[in-house]
Amino acid sequence: MAFRGADAAGLMQFLRSCRNFDKVLEKVTILALSDGKCSAEVKVDESHTNPMGGLHGGFSATLVDCISTYALMTQVAAPNVSVDIHMSYLKGAKIGDEILVDANVIKKGKTLAFLDVVIKNKSNGDVLVKGSHTKFIMQ
Protein backbone atom coordinates (compact mmCIF):
# COMPACT_ATOMS: atom_id res chain seq x y z
CA MET A 1 0.00 0.00 0.00
CA ALA A 2 1.35 3.40 -0.94
CA PHE A 3 -0.32 5.32 1.91
CA ARG A 4 1.58 5.60 5.19
CA GLY A 5 0.59 7.52 8.27
CA ALA A 6 -2.49 8.19 10.33
CA ASP A 7 -4.27 11.07 8.63
CA ALA A 8 -7.94 10.52 7.72
CA ALA A 9 -7.94 13.19 5.00
CA GLY A 10 -4.81 11.74 3.38
CA LEU A 11 -6.28 8.25 3.53
CA MET A 12 -9.50 9.46 1.90
CA GLN A 13 -7.48 11.07 -0.89
CA PHE A 14 -5.55 7.83 -1.35
CA LEU A 15 -8.76 5.77 -1.59
CA ARG A 16 -10.28 8.15 -4.15
CA SER A 17 -7.20 7.95 -6.37
CA CYS A 18 -6.67 4.16 -6.30
CA ARG A 19 -6.51 2.29 -9.57
CA ASN A 20 -5.87 -1.15 -8.01
CA PHE A 21 -8.26 -3.38 -6.04
CA ASP A 22 -8.57 -0.75 -3.30
CA LYS A 23 -10.71 1.21 -5.77
CA VAL A 24 -13.68 -0.78 -4.41
CA LEU A 25 -13.35 1.45 -1.33
CA GLU A 26 -13.73 4.74 -3.21
CA LYS A 27 -17.23 5.33 -1.75
CA VAL A 28 -16.12 4.65 1.83
CA THR A 29 -15.84 7.68 4.11
CA ILE A 30 -13.24 7.53 6.88
CA LEU A 31 -14.82 9.10 9.97
CA ALA A 32 -11.97 8.76 12.46
CA LEU A 33 -8.42 7.43 12.40
CA SER A 34 -6.18 7.46 15.48
CA ASP A 35 -4.77 5.50 18.41
CA GLY A 36 -5.29 2.03 16.95
CA LYS A 37 -8.83 2.75 15.80
CA CYS A 38 -10.48 3.43 12.47
CA SER A 39 -14.15 4.20 11.87
CA ALA A 40 -15.76 4.42 8.46
CA GLU A 41 -19.15 4.48 6.80
CA VAL A 42 -20.55 3.66 3.40
CA LYS A 43 -23.98 3.72 1.81
CA VAL A 44 -24.61 0.34 0.18
CA ASP A 45 -25.11 0.68 -3.56
CA GLU A 46 -25.43 -1.82 -6.38
CA SER A 47 -21.65 -2.17 -6.72
CA HIS A 48 -21.50 -3.53 -3.13
CA THR A 49 -24.14 -6.24 -3.56
CA ASN A 50 -24.42 -9.86 -4.59
CA PRO A 51 -26.84 -11.09 -7.29
CA MET A 52 -29.61 -11.26 -4.66
CA GLY A 53 -29.26 -7.55 -3.85
CA GLY A 54 -27.67 -8.03 -0.44
CA LEU A 55 -24.36 -6.73 0.86
CA HIS A 56 -21.70 -8.92 -0.77
CA GLY A 57 -19.69 -11.03 1.67
CA GLY A 58 -16.53 -10.28 -0.27
CA PHE A 59 -17.07 -6.55 0.11
CA SER A 60 -17.63 -7.05 3.85
CA ALA A 61 -14.38 -9.06 4.02
CA THR A 62 -12.56 -6.27 2.17
CA LEU A 63 -13.90 -3.74 4.68
CA VAL A 64 -12.66 -5.91 7.56
CA ASP A 65 -9.26 -6.35 5.92
CA CYS A 66 -8.67 -2.74 4.94
CA ILE A 67 -10.30 -0.74 7.75
CA SER A 68 -8.51 -2.83 10.39
CA THR A 69 -5.23 -2.36 8.50
CA TYR A 70 -5.76 1.41 8.58
CA ALA A 71 -6.29 1.19 12.36
CA LEU A 72 -3.00 -0.72 12.67
CA MET A 73 -1.22 1.86 10.52
CA THR A 74 -1.83 4.46 13.26
CA GLN A 75 0.53 2.42 15.46
CA VAL A 76 2.88 0.63 13.05
CA ALA A 77 4.80 2.13 10.13
CA ALA A 78 6.33 -1.20 9.06
CA PRO A 79 4.83 -3.21 6.20
CA ASN A 80 2.39 -5.89 7.30
CA VAL A 81 0.51 -8.78 5.72
CA SER A 82 -2.62 -10.73 6.62
CA VAL A 83 -2.14 -14.07 8.37
CA ASP A 84 -5.78 -14.82 9.17
CA ILE A 85 -9.17 -13.21 8.66
CA HIS A 86 -12.28 -14.62 10.28
CA MET A 87 -15.77 -13.44 9.40
CA SER A 88 -19.13 -14.00 11.10
CA TYR A 89 -22.05 -12.83 8.96
CA LEU A 90 -24.96 -12.15 11.31
CA LYS A 91 -27.42 -10.04 9.32
CA GLY A 92 -27.72 -8.63 5.84
CA ALA A 93 -27.87 -5.16 4.36
CA LYS A 94 -29.47 -3.96 1.15
CA ILE A 95 -29.06 -1.15 -1.34
CA GLY A 96 -29.60 2.19 0.39
CA ASP A 97 -28.61 0.99 3.86
CA GLU A 98 -25.88 3.00 5.54
CA ILE A 99 -23.33 0.88 7.36
CA LEU A 100 -20.70 1.76 9.95
CA VAL A 101 -17.37 -0.02 10.26
CA ASP A 102 -15.39 0.16 13.51
CA ALA A 103 -11.93 -1.41 13.73
CA ASN A 104 -9.65 -1.66 16.76
CA VAL A 105 -6.16 -2.93 17.42
CA ILE A 106 -6.71 -5.39 20.26
CA LYS A 107 -3.08 -6.40 20.80
CA LYS A 108 0.15 -5.60 19.01
CA GLY A 109 3.40 -7.43 19.58
CA LYS A 110 6.74 -7.36 17.76
CA THR A 111 5.59 -9.49 14.84
CA LEU A 112 1.83 -10.05 15.21
CA ALA A 113 -1.15 -7.74 15.59
CA PHE A 114 -4.68 -8.79 16.48
CA LEU A 115 -7.50 -6.63 15.15
CA ASP A 116 -11.26 -6.61 15.71
CA VAL A 117 -13.95 -5.20 13.40
CA VAL A 118 -17.70 -4.71 13.72
CA ILE A 119 -19.93 -3.69 10.82
CA LYS A 120 -23.30 -2.27 11.89
CA ASN A 121 -26.42 -0.89 10.28
CA LYS A 122 -26.22 2.84 10.96
CA SER A 123 -29.97 3.40 11.38
CA ASN A 124 -30.79 0.67 13.88
CA GLY A 125 -27.42 -0.44 15.28
CA ASP A 126 -27.87 -4.07 14.24
CA VAL A 127 -24.56 -5.92 14.03
CA LEU A 128 -24.21 -7.23 10.48
CA VAL A 129 -20.69 -8.65 10.51
CA LYS A 130 -18.06 -9.38 13.14
CA GLY A 131 -14.54 -9.86 11.90
CA SER A 132 -11.16 -10.62 13.37
CA HIS A 133 -7.91 -10.04 11.54
CA THR A 134 -4.38 -11.16 12.41
CA LYS A 135 -1.46 -9.43 10.71
CA PHE A 136 2.23 -10.25 10.53
CA ILE A 137 4.39 -7.15 11.02
CA MET A 138 7.56 -7.28 8.94
CA GLN A 139 10.71 -6.05 10.59
Side-chain angles (χ1 to χ4, degrees), residues 72 81 83 107-114 134-139:
L72 179 61
V81 295
V83 174
K107 181 179 180 182
K108 177 183 59 70
K110 272 179 90 172
T111 58
L112 289 177
F114 301 91
T134 305
K135 299 212 72 169
F136 175 72
I137 303 166
M138 294 183 254
Q139 300 297 319

PDB file of all heavy atoms in Angstrom, residues 72 81 83 107-114 134-139:
ATOM      1  N   LEU A  72      -4.359  -0.292  12.309  1.00  0.00           N
ATOM      2  CA  LEU A  72      -2.997  -0.723  12.665  1.00  0.00           C
ATOM      3  C   LEU A  72      -1.959   0.300  12.213  1.00  0.00           C
ATOM      4  O   LEU A  72      -0.972   0.542  12.914  1.00  0.00           O
ATOM      5  CB  LEU A  72      -2.699  -2.095  12.062  1.00  0.00           C
ATOM      6  CG  LEU A  72      -1.317  -2.671  12.334  1.00  0.00           C
ATOM      7  CD1 LEU A  72      -1.088  -2.856  13.834  1.00  0.00           C
ATOM      8  CD2 LEU A  72      -1.136  -3.993  11.581  1.00  0.00           C
ATOM      9  N   VAL A  81       1.307  -7.927   6.608  1.00  0.00           N
ATOM     10  CA  VAL A  81       0.511  -8.781   5.724  1.00  0.00           C
ATOM     11  C   VAL A  81      -0.479  -9.594   6.560  1.00  0.00           C
ATOM     12  O   VAL A  81      -0.220  -9.904   7.719  1.00  0.00           O
ATOM     13  CB  VAL A  81       1.385  -9.732   4.870  1.00  0.00           C
ATOM     14  CG1 VAL A  81       2.259  -8.950   3.905  1.00  0.00           C
ATOM     15  CG2 VAL A  81       2.234 -10.633   5.748  1.00  0.00           C
ATOM     16  N   VAL A  83      -2.410 -12.680   8.027  1.00  0.00           N
ATOM     17  CA  VAL A  83      -2.141 -14.066   8.371  1.00  0.00           C
ATOM     18  C   VAL A  83      -3.463 -14.828   8.443  1.00  0.00           C
ATOM     19  O   VAL A  83      -3.572 -15.958   8.003  1.00  0.00           O
ATOM     20  CB  VAL A  83      -1.391 -14.160   9.721  1.00  0.00           C
ATOM     21  CG1 VAL A  83      -1.237 -15.596  10.164  1.00  0.00           C
ATOM     22  CG2 VAL A  83      -0.043 -13.478   9.628  1.00  0.00           C
ATOM     23  N   LYS A 107      -4.399  -6.149  20.228  1.00  0.00           N
ATOM     24  CA  LYS A 107      -3.081  -6.396  20.800  1.00  0.00           C
ATOM     25  C   LYS A 107      -2.060  -6.321  19.685  1.00  0.00           C
ATOM     26  O   LYS A 107      -2.291  -6.808  18.580  1.00  0.00           O
ATOM     27  CB  LYS A 107      -3.036  -7.777  21.461  1.00  0.00           C
ATOM     28  CG  LYS A 107      -1.705  -8.101  22.095  1.00  0.00           C
ATOM     29  CD  LYS A 107      -1.714  -9.455  22.754  1.00  0.00           C
ATOM     30  CE  LYS A 107      -0.341  -9.719  23.365  1.00  0.00           C
ATOM     31  NZ  LYS A 107      -0.274 -11.041  23.979  1.00  0.00           N
ATOM     32  N   LYS A 108      -0.927  -5.715  19.989  1.00  0.00           N
ATOM     33  CA  LYS A 108       0.155  -5.601  19.012  1.00  0.00           C
ATOM     34  C   LYS A 108       1.451  -6.003  19.684  1.00  0.00           C
ATOM     35  O   LYS A 108       1.834  -5.445  20.717  1.00  0.00           O
ATOM     36  CB  LYS A 108       0.243  -4.163  18.503  1.00  0.00           C
ATOM     37  CG  LYS A 108       1.374  -3.890  17.546  1.00  0.00           C
ATOM     38  CD  LYS A 108       1.428  -2.432  17.141  1.00  0.00           C
ATOM     39  CE  LYS A 108       1.600  -1.464  18.265  1.00  0.00           C
ATOM     40  NZ  LYS A 108       2.891  -1.461  18.937  1.00  0.00           N
ATOM     41  N   GLY A 109       2.096  -7.008  19.102  1.00  0.00           N
ATOM     42  CA  GLY A 109       3.401  -7.428  19.583  1.00  0.00           C
ATOM     43  C   GLY A 109       4.471  -7.025  18.579  1.00  0.00           C
ATOM     44  O   GLY A 109       4.256  -6.164  17.729  1.00  0.00           O
ATOM     45  N   LYS A 110       5.646  -7.669  18.688  1.00  0.00           N
ATOM     46  CA  LYS A 110       6.743  -7.355  17.758  1.00  0.00           C
ATOM     47  C   LYS A 110       6.437  -7.800  16.338  1.00  0.00           C
ATOM     48  O   LYS A 110       6.775  -7.110  15.379  1.00  0.00           O
ATOM     49  CB  LYS A 110       8.035  -8.035  18.232  1.00  0.00           C
ATOM     50  CG  LYS A 110       8.833  -7.212  19.201  1.00  0.00           C
ATOM     51  CD  LYS A 110      10.073  -7.958  19.637  1.00  0.00           C
ATOM     52  CE  LYS A 110      11.219  -7.652  18.705  1.00  0.00           C
ATOM     53  NZ  LYS A 110      12.494  -8.217  19.206  1.00  0.00           N
ATOM     54  N   THR A 111       5.797  -8.955  16.188  1.00  0.00           N
ATOM     55  CA  THR A 111       5.586  -9.494  14.844  1.00  0.00           C
ATOM     56  C   THR A 111       4.127  -9.774  14.510  1.00  0.00           C
ATOM     57  O   THR A 111       3.817 -10.009  13.341  1.00  0.00           O
ATOM     58  CB  THR A 111       6.385 -10.794  14.634  1.00  0.00           C
ATOM     59  OG1 THR A 111       5.987 -11.745  15.615  1.00  0.00           O
ATOM     60  CG2 THR A 111       7.885 -10.520  14.740  1.00  0.00           C
ATOM     61  N   LEU A 112       3.235  -9.785  15.484  1.00  0.00           N
ATOM     62  CA  LEU A 112       1.826 -10.047  15.210  1.00  0.00           C
ATOM     63  C   LEU A 112       0.941  -8.958  15.802  1.00  0.00           C
ATOM     64  O   LEU A 112       1.227  -8.429  16.879  1.00  0.00           O
ATOM     65  CB  LEU A 112       1.381 -11.396  15.789  1.00  0.00           C
ATOM     66  CG  LEU A 112       1.894 -12.655  15.113  1.00  0.00           C
ATOM     67  CD1 LEU A 112       1.401 -13.891  15.865  1.00  0.00           C
ATOM     68  CD2 LEU A 112       1.464 -12.723  13.653  1.00  0.00           C
ATOM     69  N   ALA A 113      -0.135  -8.668  15.084  1.00  0.00           N
ATOM     70  CA  ALA A 113      -1.148  -7.736  15.585  1.00  0.00           C
ATOM     71  C   ALA A 113      -2.506  -8.410  15.444  1.00  0.00           C
ATOM     72  O   ALA A 113      -2.781  -9.083  14.446  1.00  0.00           O
ATOM     73  CB  ALA A 113      -1.115  -6.432  14.794  1.00  0.00           C
ATOM     74  N   PHE A 114      -3.346  -8.212  16.458  1.00  0.00           N
ATOM     75  CA  PHE A 114      -4.682  -8.792  16.483  1.00  0.00           C
ATOM     76  C   PHE A 114      -5.702  -7.660  16.437  1.00  0.00           C
ATOM     77  O   PHE A 114      -5.675  -6.758  17.286  1.00  0.00           O
ATOM     78  CB  PHE A 114      -4.855  -9.647  17.738  1.00  0.00           C
ATOM     79  CG  PHE A 114      -3.849 -10.765  17.803  1.00  0.00           C
ATOM     80  CD1 PHE A 114      -2.632 -10.581  18.444  1.00  0.00           C
ATOM     81  CD2 PHE A 114      -4.108 -11.986  17.195  1.00  0.00           C
ATOM     82  CE1 PHE A 114      -1.695 -11.599  18.494  1.00  0.00           C
ATOM     83  CE2 PHE A 114      -3.173 -13.011  17.234  1.00  0.00           C
ATOM     84  CZ  PHE A 114      -1.963 -12.815  17.884  1.00  0.00           C
ATOM     85  N   THR A 134      -5.733 -11.040  11.861  1.00  0.00           N
ATOM     86  CA  THR A 134      -4.382 -11.162  12.412  1.00  0.00           C
ATOM     87  C   THR A 134      -3.393 -10.764  11.321  1.00  0.00           C
ATOM     88  O   THR A 134      -3.510 -11.216  10.178  1.00  0.00           O
ATOM     89  CB  THR A 134      -4.096 -12.607  12.860  1.00  0.00           C
ATOM     90  OG1 THR A 134      -5.112 -13.007  13.783  1.00  0.00           O
ATOM     91  CG2 THR A 134      -2.732 -12.709  13.523  1.00  0.00           C
ATOM     92  N   LYS A 135      -2.439  -9.901  11.675  1.00  0.00           N
ATOM     93  CA  LYS A 135      -1.462  -9.434  10.708  1.00  0.00           C
ATOM     94  C   LYS A 135      -0.045  -9.717  11.200  1.00  0.00           C
ATOM     95  O   LYS A 135       0.240  -9.604  12.394  1.00  0.00           O
ATOM     96  CB  LYS A 135      -1.616  -7.931  10.467  1.00  0.00           C
ATOM     97  CG  LYS A 135      -3.003  -7.613   9.912  1.00  0.00           C
ATOM     98  CD  LYS A 135      -3.041  -6.450   8.984  1.00  0.00           C
ATOM     99  CE  LYS A 135      -2.424  -6.762   7.669  1.00  0.00           C
ATOM    100  NZ  LYS A 135      -2.668  -5.731   6.671  1.00  0.00           N
ATOM    101  N   PHE A 136       0.804 -10.095  10.261  1.00  0.00           N
ATOM    102  CA  PHE A 136       2.230 -10.251  10.532  1.00  0.00           C
ATOM    103  C   PHE A 136       2.903  -8.920  10.229  1.00  0.00           C
ATOM    104  O   PHE A 136       2.725  -8.345   9.143  1.00  0.00           O
ATOM    105  CB  PHE A 136       2.822 -11.355   9.648  1.00  0.00           C
ATOM    106  CG  PHE A 136       4.315 -11.499   9.777  1.00  0.00           C
ATOM    107  CD1 PHE A 136       4.871 -12.037  10.922  1.00  0.00           C
ATOM    108  CD2 PHE A 136       5.145 -11.074   8.753  1.00  0.00           C
ATOM    109  CE1 PHE A 136       6.260 -12.167  11.036  1.00  0.00           C
ATOM    110  CE2 PHE A 136       6.525 -11.187   8.871  1.00  0.00           C
ATOM    111  CZ  PHE A 136       7.074 -11.740  10.015  1.00  0.00           C
ATOM    112  N   ILE A 137       3.677  -8.425  11.184  1.00  0.00           N
ATOM    113  CA  ILE A 137       4.391  -7.152  11.022  1.00  0.00           C
ATOM    114  C   ILE A 137       5.822  -7.476  10.623  1.00  0.00           C
ATOM    115  O   ILE A 137       6.554  -8.143  11.363  1.00  0.00           O
ATOM    116  CB  ILE A 137       4.365  -6.330  12.330  1.00  0.00           C
ATOM    117  CG1 ILE A 137       2.922  -6.078  12.773  1.00  0.00           C
ATOM    118  CG2 ILE A 137       5.138  -5.032  12.161  1.00  0.00           C
ATOM    119  CD1 ILE A 137       2.783  -5.572  14.189  1.00  0.00           C
ATOM    120  N   MET A 138       6.208  -7.010   9.449  1.00  0.00           N
ATOM    121  CA  MET A 138       7.559  -7.285   8.937  1.00  0.00           C
ATOM    122  C   MET A 138       8.555  -6.334   9.578  1.00  0.00           C
ATOM    123  O   MET A 138       8.279  -5.156   9.756  1.00  0.00           O
ATOM    124  CB  MET A 138       7.579  -7.149   7.416  1.00  0.00           C
ATOM    125  CG  MET A 138       6.747  -8.208   6.739  1.00  0.00           C
ATOM    126  SD  MET A 138       6.839  -8.102   4.974  1.00  0.00           S
ATOM    127  CE  MET A 138       5.228  -7.408   4.622  1.00  0.00           C
ATOM    128  N   GLN A 139       9.684  -6.856   9.929  1.00  0.00           N
ATOM    129  CA  GLN A 139      10.712  -6.047  10.586  1.00  0.00           C
ATOM    130  C   GLN A 139      11.716  -5.526   9.582  1.00  0.00           C
ATOM    131  O   GLN A 139      12.046  -6.058   8.625  1.00  0.00           O
ATOM    132  CB  GLN A 139      11.415  -6.877  11.638  1.00  0.00           C
ATOM    133  CG  GLN A 139      10.462  -7.370  12.709  1.00  0.00           C
ATOM    134  CD  GLN A 139       9.797  -6.270  13.514  1.00  0.00           C
ATOM    135  OE1 GLN A 139      10.436  -5.292  13.881  1.00  0.00           O
ATOM    136  NE2 GLN A 139       8.513  -6.397  13.771  1.00  0.00           N
TER     137      GLN A 139
END
